[in-house]
Amino acid sequence: MRKAYRVKTEQDFQKVFQKGKSFANRKFVVYVLQKDQPHFRVGLSVGKKVGNAVKRNEIKRKIRASLTDMQPRIKPTLDFIVIARPSVSNCSSQEVYSNLEHVLKLAKIIN
C-alpha cells in the first residue's frame, strides 16, 4: 500500500479515535471517520499483547494484503483505523481476510 493510503501522524489517529465511530468483532476493532478526499486512508495498530515484534509485523502484513485485495470495494471518502485484538495472533491469512471483511461490512466501509 502506498504512503498516500496510510494514516500516519498521531494527530490523524486522534481525530479518527475522537470523532469517528467504532465497530468490532472478535478479532478486530475499526474506527471510521468520514472525510472529503480522493481516496481512503488506513492506519494499523497491533499492540504488544498480540505477540513479539515478529508476530506483530506478520499480522500487519496479513492485514495489508487483505486490504489490498479489498481495495476496489472500499469507499474512497473514509479514514479508518484497524486495531488487531490478541486473539488474531493464531489466525491464518484466510481467517484474517474473512474476519477483516466481516468487520468492514459492519462499519459499511465495503459493500
Side-chain angles (χ1 to χ4, degrees):
M1 224 179 288
R2 295 191 334 233
K3 283 190 179 183
Y5 287 89
R6 293 189 213 149
V7 177
K8 291 179 286 212
T9 66
E10 179 66 24
Q11 289 176 334
D12 289 343
F13 268 86
Q14 289 305 319
K15 280 182 192 173
V16 176
F17 284 136
Q18 291 169 359
K19 297 180 182 177
K21 291 187 175 185
S22 67
F23 301 89
N25 64 9
R26 291 176 186 250
K27 306 289 182 189
F28 296 103
V29 179
V30 173
Y31 285 85
V32 183
L33 182 63
Q34 187 74 33
K35 302 271 289 225
D36 290 329
Q37 55 198 11
H39 55 79
F40 71 91
R41 295 190 312 161
V42 63
L44 300 179
S45 176
V46 182
K48 287 186 177 182
K49 288 184 180 179
V50 176
N52 62 11
V54 174
K55 192 66 170 172
R56 293 194 304 267
N57 286 325
E58 176 189 346
I59 291 166
K60 284 189 268 188
R61 280 194 306 273
K62 289 177 183 178
I63 294 170
R64 278 191 214 106
S66 299
L67 289 172
T68 303
D69 290 347
M70 296 178 209
Q71 187 171 350
R73 299 167 42 201
I74 296 174
K75 293 180 182 175
T77 59
L78 300 174
D79 276 0
F80 62 99
I81 295 174
V82 178
I83 301 170
R85 289 187 163 164
S87 60
V88 81
S89 63
N90 348 344
C91 290
S92 67
S93 295
Q94 184 57 41
E95 290 172 323
V96 168
Y97 183 90
S98 63
N99 281 298
L100 190 60
E101 185 178 38
H102 174 256
V103 76
L104 293 180
K105 282 180 181 178
L106 285 176
K108 295 185 172 83
I109 294 173
I110 60 175
N111 300 331

